[in-house]
Amino acid sequence: MKDIDILVSEVGPRDGLQSIAAILPTEIKNAWVRAQADAGFREIEVGSFVPPSILPQMADTAEVVAAALTLTNLNVAVLVPNLRGAEGAIASGAHKISIPFSVSETHSLKNVRRNHQQMFDEVTRIAELVAAQESPPHFEAGLSTAFGCTIEGAVSEDLVVRSAEKLMRCGVAEVGLSDTTGYANPQQVRRLLRKVQSAIGAENITGVHLHNTRGLGLANALAAIEEGITTIDSSLGGIGGCPFAPGASGNIVTEDLVFMLEAMGLNTGIDIDKLLDVRNILRTALPDEPLYGFTPDAGLPKGFRKGEKRND
Ligand code: ZN
């Protein structure tokens, strides 16, 4: 990834689609992933290995991974909730596996019915399985509810740091910070990143996963980049939304994030015109689902050149 400054990791096919009731047909998911890879995306989280009884939207993840693996220069990422999911992910050949670890233990119990110790044990088992592979996938833990929890409210920053340290000892390759609830603000992003970086080493935390529930997604992304973060998750059209915040997108909107980065002269490797065209796939396939983003509606500024280094 040396030729780009920031890796924009598209998570719409996972985070976006799992948050809406409509089930996108496999061919359309494949067309979406292909179109976005063609626009220059280097990493796409294409689905999650969860039981179809819980998330029927993700039932075809293995097939989507298989199709994505035929594309060149694409890191194919998936989410797993547990060891069983990790077995499915490894069998699929995905390049990157992420497991969410809820720093709020109440959220963890509610979400995956496991307390922290049980989660650490599960992560250790997955790390051992990963390490036993001939070509092991990259195994990462995302610290969800790191910036606050809808059940517990404020989440202890010390607990975030201790959880990050413990997860590294359990054998993950790196950890990321997730603002699952859209509670984060830029000052908090800076402070927490610095704490985690100094505890586990900046090389072991390169990505953040942000939601735009309260409109601070891009501000938080910029704060993270200024603290050295090089991978930002986002979702095409911000699909998924937030049931508690009408009008708010789910993840930060990929189109607006890419526009901000390229306008700042940070190279993403992404062709923004091609990216804006990919929206048509979602608009056609999910006509009832709102698509978010300011850049797609307003258009690119007159004379805009992507990746142009400016001195102004
Ligand atoms: Zn998310």
Side-chain angles (χ1 to χ4, degrees):
M1 303 290 175
K2 286 280 184 285
D3 56 328
I4 57 172
D5 299 311
I6 301 293
L7 176 68
V8 176
S9 181
E10 172 64 45
V11 299
R14 197 276 304 168
D15 209 345
L17 292 185
Q18 78 170 29
S19 313
I20 63 175
I23 296 177
L24 208 58
T26 310
E27 316 81 73
I28 303 202
K29 288 187 185 180
N30 291 345
W32 174 9
V33 169
R34 201 182 320 118
Q36 229 168 303
D38 187 51
F41 282 74
R42 315 289 180 91
E43 183 171 290
I44 303 180
E45 194 170 68
V46 300
S48 64
F49 283 90
V50 284
S53 54
I54 296 174
L55 283 178
Q57 303 95 317
M58 298 289 115
D60 60 355
T61 296
E63 292 164 74
V64 182
V65 169
L69 288 174
T70 65
L71 304 168
T72 50
N73 213 11
L74 181 70
N75 208 28
V76 181
V78 293
L79 192 106
V80 305
N82 51 32
L83 177 63
R84 191 154 177 196
E87 287 165 351
I90 288 169
S92 78
H95 301 124
K96 178 175 169 181
I97 299 176
S98 300
I99 188 167
F101 174 94
S102 290
V103 182
S104 155
E105 197 159 27
T106 320
H107 184 268
S108 185
L109 285 165
K110 212 173 167 202
N111 218 24
V112 290
R113 278 181 253 111
R114 284 198 172 88
N115 64 26
H116 279 170
Q117 191 52 55
Q118 290 168 318
M119 280 303 296
F120 289 131
D121 293 344
E122 194 78 357
V123 169
T124 303
R125 282 191 285 269
I126 297 172
E128 286 166 0
L129 179 67
V130 165
Q133 303 305 308
E134 208 167 297
S135 47
H138 189 78
F139 178 41
E140 184 180 308
L143 292 156
S144 56
T145 65
F147 298 93
C149 169
T150 48
I151 312 164
E152 287 192 9
V155 166
S156 152
E157 294 188 352
D158 284 346
L159 185 57
V160 175
V161 172
R162 287 202 307 275
S163 302
E165 291 172 328
K166 186 79 192 279
L167 287 164
M168 291 302 297
R169 286 200 295 274
C170 292
V172 301
E174 73 173 287
V175 300
L177 292 186
S178 297
D179 183 20
T180 321
T181 53
Y183 280 18
N185 68 70
Q187 202 55 41
Q188 187 187 16
V189 168
R190 287 181 198 287
R191 192 173 61 239
L192 197 51
L193 275 172
R194 284 179 193 178
K195 285 185 180 180
V196 176
Q197 285 166 336
S198 70
I200 64 169
E203 71 280 10
N204 292 318
I205 173 162
T206 63
V208 290
H209 176 94
L210 302 165
H211 282 235
N212 197 38
T213 321
R214 289 170 181 77
L216 301 190
L218 283 185
N220 291 335
L222 183 57
I225 288 166
E226 289 177 352
E227 293 302 325
I229 289 299
T230 52
T231 299
I232 310 275
D233 290 359
S234 65
S235 141
L236 186 73
I239 61 158
C242 175
F244 312 108
S249 64
N251 297 106
I252 53 175
V253 175
T254 301
E255 298 90 317
D256 290 340
L257 175 66
V258 172
F259 169 66
M260 178 181 85
L261 297 172
E262 292 287 341
M264 290 174 69
L266 292 167
N267 184 18
T268 61
I270 294 161
D271 181 325
I272 196 162
D273 293 308
K274 279 189 178 180
L275 169 62
L276 293 172
D277 286 343
V278 185
R279 270 171 87 91
N280 295 328
I281 296 176
L282 288 189
R283 191 174 287 115
T284 308
L286 300 169
D288 300 328
E289 211 49 55
L291 292 185
Y292 302 93
F294 293 97
T295 309
D297 285 343
L300 294 170
K302 186 171 182 182
F304 180 78
R305 296 274 178 279
K306 72 175 234 76
E308 191 175 75
K309 304 276 179 194
R310 295 176 211 214
N311 297 317
D312 59 8

